[in-house]
Amino acid sequence: MMLIKAALNGTRTLQDHPQVPVTTHALVIAARGAVAAGAGAIHFHVRDSGGRESLHPDDVNSQVQAMKHALPGIPVGISTGAWIVPELALRLEYIEQWMVLPDFVSVNGDEAGFEQVADKMLQRGIGVEAGISSEAAVLNFKRSGRLPHCFRLLLEPGEQEMAAALHTAAAIEQHLTDKLPGQSVLLHGTDLTCWPLLKMAISKGYDLRIGFEDTLLHPSGIPAADNAELVQTAMLYKNGNL
């Protein structure tokens, strides 16, 4: 069954859109709305009390616990992007100190130290999504031997020109011919490529991702009201009603 994962905030701020969730309360409200609209999983970037991205144990424990309490039975995942805590040793130390564990995390194959981050997650029983934004990233994962241990493969070309994004997606796909039967593939774009790549993901039978992390706009070009509206629109595409 095709999954729609709601990516609630990413690196966006309230300056980008007044409904970007950056507090625990706002994240819970946004997540509930996204699930009610049809999302089957939630991905978000943990924030500290000032709204900045964080991997600090206090922030992760608090926000993951709140999300799990609000969404029983819904998988909840977070980002481990290297920019959040650039020092690898400190990032690994923080992860070791998490007491309330997310169901999954995304680990980017183009970041130094991704192998150690993935290993730490797997040791702690946390599912790993392989963040693959380029052919180099998928090759990094394959050479490291970690790709078979990732339950989901995220194809996420970052180019804003569709021809370039399609080229990157195709370059990644050619290295996934030995994908394991239990691994899912999710394809998503950002901003200008978000909706076109979502429709392509549907045509390929891949899982989908949508939310304010990926776009602030309805396909018409009008700003979306919130994450729930974006999920509702993705559901219409998925069901062939748009």
Side-chain angles (χ1 to χ4, degrees):
M1 184 174 178
M2 191 180 295
L3 171 77
I4 297 180
K5 181 172 68 172
L8 301 179
N9 54 8
T11 62
R12 311 268 193 191
T13 70
L14 291 171
Q15 284 66 50
D16 297 311
H17 192 294
Q19 292 302 314
V20 170
V22 295
T23 66
T24 301
H25 178 71
L27 280 162
V28 166
I29 295 295
R32 282 177 169 160
V35 169
I42 296 294
H43 167 82
F44 70 102
H45 291 213
V46 172
R47 303 301 179 101
D48 65 16
S49 60
R52 296 173 292 269
E53 292 179 84
S54 174
L55 293 175
H56 191 281
D58 290 346
D59 301 319
V60 172
N61 293 340
S62 174
Q63 292 195 338
V64 171
Q65 183 175 47
M67 296 288 265
K68 286 193 161 191
H69 178 76
L71 303 167
I74 299 296
V76 172
I78 66 175
S79 174
T80 65
W83 65 88
I84 303 174
V85 181
E87 185 184 339
L88 177 61
L90 181 59
R91 202 178 335 143
L92 294 171
E93 180 182 332
Y94 281 173
I95 293 165
E96 186 62 38
Q97 294 174 26
W98 294 352
M99 298 300 294
V100 182
L101 303 183
D103 298 296
F104 63 91
V105 299
S106 56
V107 177
N108 300 317
D110 58 356
E111 294 177 347
F114 79 92
E115 303 97 331
Q116 294 98 310
V117 174
D119 289 348
K120 181 68 70 176
M121 298 301 174
L122 294 168
Q123 290 164 9
R124 303 214 64 197
I126 301 169
V128 174
E129 296 180 311
I132 304 171
S133 60
S134 65
E135 185 175 17
V138 72
L139 289 173
N140 286 344
F141 261 109
K142 294 191 77 168
R143 292 188 191 107
S144 75
R146 271 72 173 184
L147 199 63
H149 302 286
C150 299
F151 80 101
R152 184 179 293 132
L153 312 179
L154 305 180
L155 280 60
E156 38 193 10
E159 296 89 349
Q160 289 298 286
E161 201 277 321
M162 267 303 293
L166 292 175
H167 177 79
T168 294
I172 295 169
E173 286 175 317
Q174 70 176 338
H175 296 289
L176 301 181
T177 54
D178 54 352
K179 180 182 73 69
L180 298 176
Q183 287 179 312
S184 68
V185 178
L186 185 155
L187 170 65
H188 77 95
T190 57
D191 296 318
L192 295 179
T193 67
C194 178
W195 292 109
L197 284 180
L198 182 136
K199 289 188 282 186
M200 173 171 284
I202 293 170
S203 72
K204 289 176 172 284
Y206 291 162
D207 287 338
L208 314 178
R209 194 178 98 164
I210 195 66
F212 275 159
E213 176 167 358
D214 294 343
T215 185
L216 301 172
L217 303 178
H218 187 271
S220 66
I222 298 171
D226 52 25
N227 278 287
E229 184 180 39
L230 292 173
V231 174
Q232 288 169 352
T233 305
M235 283 289 292
L236 291 173
Y237 277 119
K238 176 185 171 184
N239 295 330
N241 296 321
L242 266 184

